[in-house]
Amino acid sequence: MTPLLDSLVSKMPSLSASDHASVVSLNLFVALLCACIVLGHLLEENRWMNESITALLIGLATGVVILLISNGKSSHLLVFSEDLFFIYLLPPIIFNAGFQVKKKQFFRNFVTIMLFGAIGTVVSCTVITLGVTQFFKKLDIGTFDLGDYLAIGAIFAATDSVCTLQVLNQDETPLLYSLVFGEGVVNDATSVVVFNAMQSFDLTHLNHEAAFRLLGNFFYLFLLSTLLGVATGLISAYIIKKLYFGRHSTDREVALMMLMAYLSYMLAELFDLSGILTVFFCGIVMSHYTWHNVTESSRITTKHAFATLSFLAETFIFLYVGMDALDIDKWRSVSDSPGTSVAVSSILIGLLMLGRAAFVFPLSFLSNLAKKNQSERIDFKMQVVIWWSGLMRGAVSMALAYNKFTRAGKTDLRGNAIMITSTITVCLFSTVVFGMLTKPLIRFLLPHQKATTSFLSDGNTPKSIQIPLIDQDSFIEFAGNHNVPRPDSIRGFLTRPTRTVHYYWRQFDDSFMRPVFGGRGFVPFVPGSPTERDPPTDLSRA
């Protein structure tokens, strides 16, 4: 045994030396994350800055310093990998979005969100694809086929929901937040599904049958991804409700919630479904059922733990994108034609602006036709804000571009290098410029947004037109005083379909779902549990 131990000990210094660079990189990256948090706090009240822009600028500054230290050999501490993004960073962001979202606002605008997120993404992808097909052929950027153009359309049709969520606040602008946020989640899922479909689709045999098959595959993925997320959330709620983990250990129920949330995403990836949609709806179901089945200390823990993981993942992404923007290898490949790279970036920015305008304004018009109440319609100023807020591009576009135009983070073809550098340029420009101008734009176009939309928040005020969405008794009293049709009548369904659907859902939920899966008002009594009563009703989770 002694010779074996001696040999192991003798090898330890060499192992430590080989890992030293990685340890240094991780230490510096963690220090940069801390710096982003501190500066984000100091710039909280700044009207131009937000945490994503702060992380980007810190990443750029760090990249410059690393370039100088390494004599122009490298600008980043870690090697970008789309697997790192899709498997480790994206799931906590999307799950927390579903876990924290005000479901009442989200599902009230569900049809509009689906119009913007699904149909709108396809329209934007089509506009961008047609545009780059016409313009890129006139530029000397290499040989691209139809599949490449379609992939570019999907890449730049993906809005950055991470940055958009930091720009808007769901308490100050609940209607805008629900529309932009909901569109962002569905948009990301749609873009990834379309991108993957194009990569595996035989574009040499295009016909009507193939188009319908592609459309059917999209709806198949959307439906099954949603059902998988709902099923995973319900299973976690049932297990925690039946096994009473809080009776012995709150750590177990917190760990189970986290693992089940991540399991939903990985199962979707395993079955080639949309992990984004799956983990998002899993978050919604967990917040509606599972969260109310755990002890009070676990509720506080999970709420802050999910938010913290999401925040760190967002900061990590923007910090890395800032550093990777100065990757010398990519820029060296296009250094002989900087004008071409600028032209490509400018064309892409113009097309993504045109692509959003092509569906935001027409679909808003169609959505307004179905809404009788003037206060529920999307006026022109709000449409401008929605159009502008979705102009930002970020990590999803970066990950898809790396997947398409690089191999192991490297690219040798000039045309691929131009697309990578142009994607970086578009992401930086849109996030910094459009992101910085979004807050002032909202304050200019909607100066009284907070006051005028306070009735749309989850407050229980007698004057709120949304009281029928909260409880039946309030609706009966409100309807009696204001001559509003009952939600369970045919006239009520024809005049207020959203309210009527919600009325029947609450009846079904209270009678069948909550007794089985738990939720507010159905938390089991556990002797000796840290909490034996449900906390005060939180209408924001209704």
Side-chain angles (χ1 to χ4, degrees):
M1 292 296 291
T2 302
L4 179 60
L5 287 175
D6 291 339
S7 64
L8 289 175
V9 172
S10 64
K11 292 180 180 179
M12 288 180 64
S14 61
L15 290 174
S16 299
S18 64
D19 294 338
H20 181 70
S22 300
V23 173
V24 172
S25 298
L26 288 175
N27 274 276
L28 290 176
F29 210 94
V30 172
L32 290 174
L33 287 174
C34 294
C36 291
I37 294 173
V38 173
L39 289 179
H41 170 72
L42 296 177
L43 298 174
E44 181 72 25
E45 302 299 328
N46 190 288
R47 64 177 298 185
W48 301 101
M49 300 293 290
N50 58 58
E51 289 166 343
S52 60
I53 298 176
T54 302
L56 269 176
L57 295 180
I58 292 177
L60 283 171
T62 306
V64 172
V65 173
I66 297 175
L67 272 176
L68 296 176
I69 295 176
S70 63
N71 296 323
K73 295 180 179 179
S74 177
S75 66
H76 47 74
L77 301 172
L78 301 174
V79 178
F80 182 84
S81 169
E82 58 267 19
D83 291 336
L84 171 68
F85 172 72
F86 282 109
I87 296 179
Y88 300 107
L89 298 178
L90 189 61
I93 296 173
I94 301 299
F95 176 81
N96 183 68
F99 193 75
Q100 302 286 352
V101 70
K102 294 183 177 180
K103 298 182 289 297
K104 186 177 66 177
Q105 281 288 338
F106 179 82
F107 286 105
R108 180 187 301 133
N109 302 290
F110 186 76
V111 175
T112 305
I113 288 172
M114 292 307 301
L115 283 175
F116 286 171
I119 298 178
T121 301
V122 174
V123 172
S124 179
C125 178
T126 303
V127 171
I128 295 173
T129 299
L130 293 176
V132 296
T133 302
Q134 295 298 319
F135 288 108
F136 283 11
K137 289 181 178 179
K138 301 178 182 179
L139 301 174
D140 183 22
I141 60 174
T143 303
F144 289 148
D145 56 23
L146 179 59
D148 295 325
Y149 291 128
L150 289 170
I152 293 172
I155 289 169
F156 289 98
T159 62
D160 186 12
S161 59
V162 174
C163 188
T164 304
L165 294 178
Q166 292 181 346
V167 170
L168 295 177
N169 184 288
Q170 65 176 331
D171 293 320
E172 294 181 359
T173 55
L175 178 59
L176 270 178
Y177 185 94
S178 65
L179 292 176
V180 175
F181 158 74
E183 181 217 341
V185 174
V186 180
N187 167 276
D188 286 346
T190 305
S191 299
V192 173
V193 170
V194 170
F195 179 85
N196 291 332
M198 295 304 175
Q199 300 307 300
S200 59
F201 195 67
D202 185 8
L203 298 175
T204 60
H205 300 86
L206 289 177
N207 51 50
H208 295 291
E209 182 182 351
F212 281 112
R213 188 165 59 250
L214 180 63
L215 184 63
N217 184 53
F218 171 77
F219 285 109
Y220 166 82
L221 290 176
F222 185 92
L223 180 61
L224 256 65
S225 300
T226 302
L227 292 178
L228 179 60
V230 172
T232 308
L234 290 177
I235 291 173
S236 69
Y238 184 80
I239 292 175
I240 290 179
K241 178 176 180 291
K242 288 298 182 181
L243 298 183
Y244 303 154
F245 285 95
R247 172 173 44 188
H248 301 299
S249 172
T250 58
D251 297 337
R252 291 178 183 142
E253 56 187 6
V254 172
L256 185 63
M257 284 188 68
M258 291 184 172
L259 291 175
M260 290 293 288
Y262 191 68
L263 179 64
S264 69
Y265 186 88
M266 296 310 299
L267 284 175
E269 294 298 313
L270 178 64
F271 297 125
D272 294 326
L273 301 176
S274 173
I276 297 176
L277 278 176
T278 298
V279 77
F280 173 71
F281 281 99
C282 180
I284 291 180
V285 173
M286 277 193 171
S287 69
H288 189 67
Y289 297 108
T290 313
W291 189 78
H292 293 280
N293 295 341
V294 300
T295 59
E296 184 176 2
S297 59
S298 295
R299 293 174 194 170
I300 297 173
T301 301
T302 52
K303 181 178 180 181
H304 292 288
F306 291 139
T308 301
L309 290 174
S310 173
F311 169 75
L312 288 176
E314 293 172 9
T315 308
F316 185 100
I317 290 171
F318 285 108
L319 183 62
Y320 182 85
V321 169
M323 285 189 292
D324 194 65
L326 299 176
D327 188 356
I328 196 66
D329 292 333
K330 301 181 183 68
W331 291 104
R332 189 182 290 117
S333 302
V334 298
S335 59
D336 59 333
S337 55
T340 302
S341 182
V342 172
V344 171
S345 301
S346 301
I347 290 172
L348 289 172
I349 292 174
L351 288 175
L352 67 88
M353 297 177 72
L354 178 63
R356 277 199 65 81
F359 76 84
V360 169
F361 299 107
L363 294 183
S364 296
F365 174 77
L366 294 177
S367 176
N368 290 337
L369 292 179
K371 295 180 179 179
K372 303 297 183 180
N373 195 332
Q374 185 66 30
S375 63
E376 297 177 351
R377 295 186 177 183
I378 309 171
D379 60 32
F380 181 74
K381 291 183 178 180
M382 293 179 65
Q383 294 174 32
V384 173
V385 173
I386 295 172
W387 169 75
W388 184 272
S389 299
L391 293 177
M392 289 166 281
R393 299 296 182 269
V396 175
S397 295
M398 287 280 293
L400 294 180
Y402 271 80
N403 180 277
K404 176 64 179 178
F405 297 109
T406 67
R407 294 295 180 269
K410 302 293 183 179
T411 178
D412 298 325
L413 298 178
R414 179 174 172 274
N416 291 352
I418 289 178
M419 288 311 306
I420 293 295
T421 55
S422 298
T423 303
I424 294 173
T425 303
V426 171
C427 292
L428 284 176
F429 180 86
S430 62
T431 301
V432 175
V433 177
F434 297 152
M436 291 177 67
L437 294 177
T438 299
K439 285 183 180 179
L441 182 68
I442 292 175
R443 293 176 182 178
F444 173 75
L445 292 177
L446 307 169
H448 305 295
Q449 180 68 14
K450 184 174 182 179
T452 57
T453 59
S454 60
F455 71 92
L456 286 173
S457 65
D458 295 308
N460 189 5
T461 167
K463 296 181 180 180
S464 173
I465 195 66
Q466 308 302 337
I467 286 181
L469 293 170
I470 300 176
D471 61 79
Q472 178 182 358
D473 297 333
S474 299
F475 175 78
I476 295 174
E477 180 181 354
F478 181 87
N481 296 332
H482 296 79
N483 195 28
V484 177
R486 285 180 57 85
D488 56 346
S489 64
I490 297 178
R491 177 171 169 242
F493 178 77
L494 294 176
T495 57
R496 301 183 184 276
T498 303
R499 221 165 276 166
T500 305
V501 171
H502 189 275
Y503 171 85
Y504 284 114
W505 161 249
R506 289 299 299 269
Q507 297 294 314
F508 174 79
D509 192 29
D510 292 338
S511 301
F512 299 100
M513 298 298 290
R514 291 188 180 183
V516 176
F517 299 104
R520 186 189 305 121
F522 291 87
V523 178
F525 176 84
V526 182
S529 173
T531 56
E532 297 173 352
R533 295 179 180 273
D534 216 15
T537 299
D538 181 10
L539 292 177
S540 66
R541 312 190 74 85

